[in-house]
Amino acid sequence: MPPPRGSPYLHLPYDGGPLTIHPLLAFYPSVAPVNYNLSHPVEHSLRPNVFASLSYRSASHFKSRLYEPATSPRLPTLTLSHPHLPWQPHIRSSKPASCIYVTVRDVLEALHAFLQCPVTLAEYKMLPSQADRNEVAVAFHARCERTQDRERTTKKGVIRLDFLRGRDVFMGLSCTRYGHDVWMLNVE
């Protein structure tokens, strides 16, 4: 069953009935729902994408939409997946226990924090091939070159973001066959 006419959510099927994801998080193959570079905190980098088919009356309207539920029906947790990441972030609500559901902002902030975690040498060596390790190393060095505090960034070492191999633009989330609460991270 499609969402009600005028619903701000994109319908995605799941076994428990209709499940929809917020349009600010939905994956559209050619246009990102928002402009967001995952290497920066949400408050510094997230902007509306004027080329997306979403409309905003004002900057405050856009910001208020970040506090809307990430899914409908509201889910208490979401898990994200990406083929280059050996980890899966489990996103929980940042709200008090009285109103537990994941918001759009929860997803974006948790994803950023998750991708900033340092990678251990053992995790780095678990990459399937030398070519994969080389691609991650190239992404790490490119990120170090782009930063203002190159020395501090270099000392921190490889982070999970580097496993995305330089693809750090958020393109949205798409459904998976692994359940209604597991979503594929799409990046460019």
Side-chain angles (χ1 to χ4, degrees), residues 42-43 46 63 66-68 103-110:
V42 170
E43 62 273 4
L46 183 68
K63 289 184 184 207
L66 299 177
Y67 296 96
E68 293 175 357
T103 66
V104 172
R105 187 176 189 98
D106 290 336
V107 170
L108 298 174
E109 287 182 341

Side-chain angles (χ1 to χ4, degrees), residues 53-89:
S53 61
L54 308 170
S55 62
Y56 309 101
R57 293 184 289 271
S58 65
S60 63
H61 177 249
F62 172 73
K63 289 184 184 207
S64 71
R65 296 203 64 201
L66 299 177
Y67 296 96
E68 293 175 357
T71 61
S72 177
R74 299 170 178 183
L75 294 178
T77 64
L78 293 177
T79 299
L80 303 185
S81 180
H82 187 277
H84 288 154
L85 296 174
W87 320 270
Q88 291 185 323

Side-chain angles (χ1 to χ4, degrees), residues 115-136:
L115 292 173
Q116 296 304 306
C117 292
V119 171
T120 66
L121 183 57
E123 290 170 326
Y124 182 75
K125 287 183 175 182
M126 284 178 41
L127 284 162
S129 70
Q130 185 59 46
D132 290 313
R133 288 187 284 281
N134 291 345
E135 287 180 11
V136 169

Side-chain angles (χ1 to χ4, degrees), residues 145-177:
E145 289 296 317
R146 288 190 310 265
T147 189
Q148 292 178 346
D149 190 352
R150 188 179 306 162
E151 184 178 332
R152 193 178 115 226
T153 302
T154 303
K155 280 184 182 177
K156 186 175 179 182
V158 174
I159 60 175
R160 291 175 175 170
L161 179 69
D162 298 323
F163 273 54
L164 294 176
R165 301 158 196 207
R167 295 171 188 89
D168 51 9
V169 174
F170 178 79
M171 292 298 290
L173 305 176
S174 53
C175 62
T176 69
R177 64 177 189 258

